[in-house]
């Protein structure tokens, strides 16, 4: 079992930055791939970024490439999403998710989800 708790969301002006954190419980978290997804009302959950169990591989959706960076600190059981040059269209609830071993861009592949954190970017 893995429990995930996101933090770091908030209100920021366009062009600003936020760093989201996903803190996990469980001694084997270092064996899990982690993804960040986002969802706005009336829309499907959208893949944002993912990182492999050892941090060796990272993946991003095209709209955030060059602006967002996913990383992890397995000693702290935490995955981060550094978001720079934020745009109003990045406004959403951001969720982290974990799955055994390799990460994925498909939400259905993930077994464990956090409760989400709101990110609002004003223009």
């Amino acid at each position: 079992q893995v429990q995930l708790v996101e933090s770091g969301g908030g209100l920021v002006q366009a062009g600003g930055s936020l760093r989201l954190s996903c803190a996990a419980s469980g001694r084997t978290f270092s064996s899990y791939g982690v993804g960040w997804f986002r969802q706005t009302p009336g829309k499907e959950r959208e893949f944002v970024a993912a990182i492999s169990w050892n941090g060796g591989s990272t993946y991003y959706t095209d709209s955030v490439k060059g602006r967002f960076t996913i990383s992890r600190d397995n000693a702290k059981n935490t995955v981060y999403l550094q978001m720079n040059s934020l745009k109003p269209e990045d406004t959403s609830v951001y969720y982290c998710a974990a799955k055994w071993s390799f990460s994925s861009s498909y939400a259905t592949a993930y077994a464990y989800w956090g409760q989400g954190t709101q990110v609002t970017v004003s223009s």
Side-chain angles (χ1 to χ4, degrees), residues 8-109:
L11 174 65
V12 64
Q13 289 188 332
S17 298
L18 284 174
R19 188 176 80 158
L20 305 184
S21 297
C22 174
S25 64
R27 292 176 295 175
T28 60
F29 181 66
S30 58
S31 299
Y32 285 76
V34 174
W36 283 97
F37 294 78
R38 61 189 180 188
Q39 188 170 24
T40 54
K43 294 187 177 181
E44 291 188 357
R45 194 161 293 190
E46 175 191 22
F47 169 73
V48 176
I51 189 166
S52 60
W53 62 276
N54 64 352
S57 298
T58 57
Y59 312 91
Y60 300 91
T61 192
D62 286 346
S63 63
V64 308
K65 284 180 181 177
R67 299 189 299 124
F68 291 11
T69 302
I70 189 170
S71 62
R72 68 189 298 160
D73 184 343
N74 284 341
K76 296 182 178 180
N77 276 8
T78 303
V79 172
Y80 304 98
L81 185 67
Q82 178 67 44
M83 305 187 296
N84 299 329
S85 303
L86 282 161
K87 304 175 181 180
E89 51 263 44
D90 294 318
T91 295
S92 192
V93 177
Y94 283 72
Y95 299 88
C96 67
K99 65 179 294 293
W100 181 259
S101 188
F102 299 103
S103 57
S104 172
S105 62
Y106 295 96
T108 53

